[in-house]
Amino acid sequence: MIDQAIFNRAPLAPNTYSELPLGAVKPLGWLYEKEKALAEGITGHLYEIWPSVRDTAWMGGNGENWERGPYYFDGLIPLAWELNDERLKSVAMRFVEWTLASQQENGYFGPHDNPDWWPRMVAMKCMKQYFEATGDKRVLPFMAKYFEYEYKMLDGQPLGMWAIARAGDNIETVQWLYNITGAKVLLKLCDKLLAQSIDWTGYYHTFPDSRDQKKAFPWKLLQPMMEENPDPWSAGWQQHQRTHVVNQAMALKTPVLDHTLHGGIKQAQAFYAGWEKLMKHHGVASGMFTGDEHLSGTNPTQGTETCAVVETLYSLETIMGQLDDAKLGDIWERIAYNALPAPISPDTWAHQYDQQVNQISVGTGKYNWYNNSNGANTFGLEPHYGCCTANLHQGYPKFVSHLWYAVKNGGLCAMTYAPCEVKWKVGDTRVQVTVSGNYPYAEDISIKVRCEKTAKFPIHLRIPAWTEDAYAKIGEETFVGEAGKFLVIDREWGEETETNLHISRAVKAEKYYHQSVAVTCGPVLYALPLGEKWEYRGAEMPLSDRYATAEKPFNYALLPEEGFTLSEDGRSVTATGFPVPEWKEKDGVTEPIPVLPKQKEESVQLSLVPYAEAVLRIAQFPQGRK
Ligand SMILES: [Zn+2]
């Protein structure tokens, strides 16, 4: 592992926090179990069973030569090094060695029969992580040579489809390399990439796509326009590229990187302006926005693609390293603790392409998607397009590698408190930090700091905006935190110091679509579990397509003013509600949420569980009226 965090070099805007190199943070506890399940399940075996990766041209095969290989390795590489799994590392090396060897004299690399810029953007994300984990001396010259090639070639061969929306992922690795080498051509390349891509900085300020695309621009209207004019800058393709849910997820980082390059108030505020509007017009209680697969409005029966979940997380992980803002972590952890686990089966072999916040059947209904195939919420190996099959792997490993950041001028910063171990050097002192506790289901977190010798440095602890009371205790000393800020503990750390961090939380009712109510406690969303009757079709388990129908009724309203009771272990919430018989199901989907239904039936106690633990569920309820 390289032993330095890479901070912005002038003239890039200075950053306070920067990613730790891959391998500095290792998962513990339940997070280790999650990663182990991926290693023993889909991530650890996809290269053996799934033709798009097994035969990928990115390992010299004669199969898919586009994004799927790089997508897979973008998640496999961090998983392999975080678990220190030799088998997975050797699979990663097949990609790395093939990719390095594929570079031509002029700098071009990758499957030579597919010159698309886009999959190379993902391949560079892979190589960056591989370099951080190993320090392999071949990587930086390889990247520098390719970026010079790209700089020279872009005028004659400009960014095309997908790349015009996704260039932020390219700019991110170019800036990272610039911070290491200082080569000015890299800054010029960033400008060229920005100039050739959608102006996301401007877009997020105006946000023209506030409407559900089914109504604003139905697929039957959009598709013929795209067929008629395949130019990526044609009106049809513009609309397509702008409103594509994964493009949106990836694009969130672009204005922030624009700000890193150029400064400016417009650039600084674009992410915030855009996120606010995205969530206002397309947001749901999982912390994500909908898109099945274009922006789909706020009805919680609309789908959110799994690629959009992992890419939003990654954009936030990039942004948290550029902007000094604790509130970004609130957005990030809300998604990571809810929308990330929900579409992946516990054995990891099956996933959904689209998850719904109010999901009363999977695979068996008639879903009101924008243009996804009907079965897109089935759990399977490839329930719809294979992008999610290839791309879901980056979710957990990058969550792990971004739990802690390096602080400029020494020190460490915690973004959330999942169990992990950080090994890092502050100045010339080796430091080990161990986080344990049941966050986000408990209020007390133990952070043990061990130093090989006494050293003075700050530890920054993110205090979520949702807490009422947060403090850290070290022995008799108390450090009081402020919600939505970093609590900085700057002191001398001895051989072993235990910090007990307390972050209070309370059950809250949030408002969404049709005045619906979502129940949260800290970053966790709670849902009414409907039970699942599973049916397995196609291949043998665990590779079957998995369909589910509900065992219990879904149609209840909540009375939030009656209060909530959180169980001692934090894993269930009891709420008061009443049945709403007029709220009906149609073909496996709930009808629109009734607005403020009046209570006609007896009140009942409803036991809610964490969102991701109920496959069939209601997590946005009608708000009842007495
Ligand atoms: Zn996908």
Side-chain angles (χ1 to χ4, degrees):
M1 185 183 87
I2 61 169
D3 60 1
Q4 278 183 13
I6 312 297
F7 284 87
N8 289 345
R9 177 196 282 256
L12 298 184
N15 53 342
T16 306
Y17 304 114
S18 188
E19 297 174 325
L20 289 167
L22 176 61
V25 188
K26 298 255 163 58
L28 297 176
W30 65 263
L31 196 50
Y32 174 80
E33 295 302 326
K34 279 271 182 204
E35 290 212 331
K36 199 80 186 145
L38 286 163
E40 286 167 3
I42 188 170
T43 312
H45 294 282
L46 196 66
Y47 71 96
E48 296 165 335
I49 59 162
W50 196 52
S52 290
V53 168
R54 186 190 62 206
D55 307 329
T56 176
W58 290 92
M59 290 196 291
N62 53 12
E64 215 247 8
N65 63 3
W66 193 49
E67 67 182 12
R68 290 185 184 180
Y71 264 164
Y72 175 59
F73 291 104
D74 193 24
L76 177 86
I77 289 170
L79 187 73
W81 268 272
E82 283 164 14
L83 293 178
N84 200 16
D85 184 316
E86 294 305 328
R87 180 176 68 90
L88 296 189
K89 283 186 196 172
S90 73
V91 180
M93 289 314 294
R94 287 170 58 192
F95 162 81
V96 168
E97 293 297 347
W98 185 88
T99 299
L100 290 171
S102 73
Q103 190 163 47
Q104 298 175 5
E105 206 40 57
N106 62 4
Y108 181 67
F109 77 99
H112 58 83
D113 49 353
N114 188 344
D116 188 352
W117 297 109
W118 159 239
R120 290 169 175 79
M121 298 181 185
V122 187
M124 285 299 175
K125 288 168 68 193
C126 302
M127 297 309 275
K128 168 179 174 263
Q129 293 178 92
Y130 167 70
F131 175 77
E132 289 173 347
T134 65
D136 188 325
K137 291 197 164 50
R138 299 172 296 171
V139 174
L140 300 182
F142 166 83
M143 291 176 80
K145 199 168 167 183
Y146 171 67
F147 288 146
E148 267 185 52
Y149 166 84
E150 189 177 29
Y151 178 71
K152 278 185 214 135
M153 295 298 287
L154 274 173
D155 294 328
Q157 188 198 325
L159 298 181
M161 211 65 78
W162 304 108
I164 60 165
R166 299 177 172 186
D169 286 67
N170 198 156
I171 293 167
E172 193 231 328
T173 52
V174 177
Q175 285 184 357
W176 175 82
L177 188 66
Y178 169 75
N179 288 332
I180 297 174
T181 70
K184 290 284 190 293
V185 64
L186 296 169
L187 298 182
K188 291 199 270 178
L189 173 57
C190 289
D191 280 336
K192 206 172 265 194
L193 288 164
L194 271 181
Q196 290 195 6
S197 67
I198 292 172
D199 171 21
W200 289 109
T201 304
Y203 176 90
Y204 282 128
H205 281 286
T206 54
F207 205 78
D209 300 307
S210 57
R211 290 179 67 209
D212 172 0
Q213 292 298 293
K214 286 195 305 302
K215 293 176 186 133
F217 231 114
W219 185 236
K220 63 175 193 296
L221 205 77
L222 184 58
Q223 194 183 24
M225 285 173 70
M226 288 155 49
E227 276 166 12
E228 198 173 298
N229 187 351
D231 186 287
W233 294 100
S234 67
W237 275 103
Q238 273 291 293
Q239 189 66 26
H240 177 280
Q241 292 284 290
R242 273 189 354 216
T243 60
H244 188 272
V245 67
V246 185
N247 287 358
Q248 283 278 345
M250 292 171 172
L252 289 166
K253 66 175 83 62
T254 311
V256 177
L257 298 173
D258 185 1
H259 177 261
T260 303
L261 276 163
H262 302 117
I265 196 79
K266 184 180 173 193
Q267 287 81 350
Q269 291 182 354
F271 166 77
Y272 295 100
W275 181 257
E276 191 192 329
K277 287 171 192 142
L278 195 54
M279 292 309 280
K280 179 177 175 204
H281 299 297
H282 306 284
V284 283
S286 62
M288 276 296 303
F289 44 95
T290 66
D292 49 36
E293 71 185 28
H294 292 259
L295 297 176
S296 298
T298 51
N299 188 331
T301 59
Q302 295 305 137
T304 295
E305 187 186 331
T306 297
C307 281
V309 174
V310 298
E311 294 295 352
T312 302
L313 288 171
Y314 185 65
S315 283
L316 288 162
E317 285 152 8
T318 303
I319 295 167
M320 289 190 295
Q322 295 296 329
L323 304 178
D324 173 358
D325 181 2
K327 291 189 202 76
L328 295 165
D330 292 24
I331 303 173
W332 177 62
E333 68 174 0
R334 176 74 174 256
I335 300 168
Y337 293 125
N338 298 288
L340 176 60
I344 305 172
S345 65
D347 66 5
T348 77
W349 285 102
H351 70 273
Q352 295 176 290
Y353 189 87
D354 285 319
Q355 65 178 292
Q356 299 160 290
V357 166
N358 283 359
Q359 183 163 269
I360 63 167
S361 73
V362 298
T364 59
K366 278 192 196 142
Y367 304 94
N368 192 24
W369 313 133
Y370 178 79
N371 65 339
N372 282 163
S373 75
N374 203 38
N377 76 348
T378 311
F379 279 82
L381 179 67
E382 190 179 349
H384 189 43
Y385 300 125
C387 53
C388 300
T389 312
N391 195 11
L392 68 86
H393 310 275
Q394 70 171 319
Y396 275 106
K398 291 190 188 175
F399 175 66
V400 169
S401 60
H402 294 85
L403 289 171
W404 286 73
Y405 284 63
V407 179
K408 196 163 192 177
N409 304 324
L412 286 163
C413 173
M415 290 297 180
T416 187
Y417 302 98
C420 68
E421 180 183 88
V422 188
K423 282 187 178 162
W424 192 236
K425 220 170 165 183
V426 178
D428 60 353
T429 308
R430 274 178 214 288
V431 177
Q432 186 183 332
V433 179
T434 310
V435 180
S436 54
N438 281 322
Y439 186 90
Y441 297 104
E443 297 185 328
D444 292 298
I445 300 143
S446 156
I447 301 170
K448 275 206 179 89
V449 181
R450 292 189 188 88
C451 297
E452 62 175 353
K453 59 179 192 287
T454 301
K456 186 173 184 300
F457 59 89
I459 288 195
H460 296 213
L461 302 171
R462 179 187 139 260
I463 305 300
W466 44 256
T467 189
E468 304 274 308
D469 180 30
Y471 54 85
K473 276 199 154 155
I474 301 175
E476 298 299 304
E477 260 184 298
T478 302
F479 303 83
V480 178
E482 193 182 332
K485 297 268 164 65
F486 290 103
L487 169 60
V488 178
I489 305 179
D490 195 358
R491 71 193 300 273
E492 284 206 329
W493 303 88
E495 251 172 56
E496 181 169 319
T497 311
E498 181 159 16
T499 306
N500 290 301
L501 175 63
H502 179 87
I503 299 177
S504 78
R505 64 215 164 104
V507 181
K508 288 181 184 162
E510 296 179 357
K511 277 292 185 69
Y512 288 92
Y513 162 90
H514 279 197
Q515 305 200 45
S516 58
V517 182
V519 179
T520 62
C521 187
V524 182
L525 172 66
Y526 291 80
L528 178 69
L530 307 178
E532 294 92 28
K533 202 167 143 252
W534 287 102
E535 191 195 324
Y536 306 102
R537 300 185 205 161
E540 290 286 302
M541 279 292 276
L543 298 177
S544 316
D545 284 328
R546 310 175 189 185
Y547 299 78
T549 46
E551 292 175 317
K552 293 178 211 155
F554 71 88
N555 43 359
Y556 295 93
L558 283 195
L559 291 165
E561 69 275 13
E562 302 279 301
F564 302 100
T565 312
L566 181 67
S567 69
E568 206 148 291
D569 66 0
R571 301 194 78 91
S572 76
V573 170
T574 308
T576 307
F578 59 83
V580 184
E582 66 269 29
W583 188 22
K584 295 226 164 26
E585 162 181 356
K586 189 166 180 255
D587 298 324
V589 180
T590 74
E591 288 190 333
I593 294 175
V595 178
L596 303 173
K598 195 158 172 48
Q599 181 165 16
K600 291 173 200 145
E601 310 216 4
E602 289 284 296
S603 290
V604 292
Q605 296 297 299
L606 299 169
S607 182
L608 315 182
V609 302
Y611 170 76
E613 288 174 19
V615 170
L616 300 184
R617 63 195 167 225
I618 295 294
Q620 287 181 225
F621 299 84
Q623 161 141 4
R625 207 159 37 101
K626 281 200 180 172

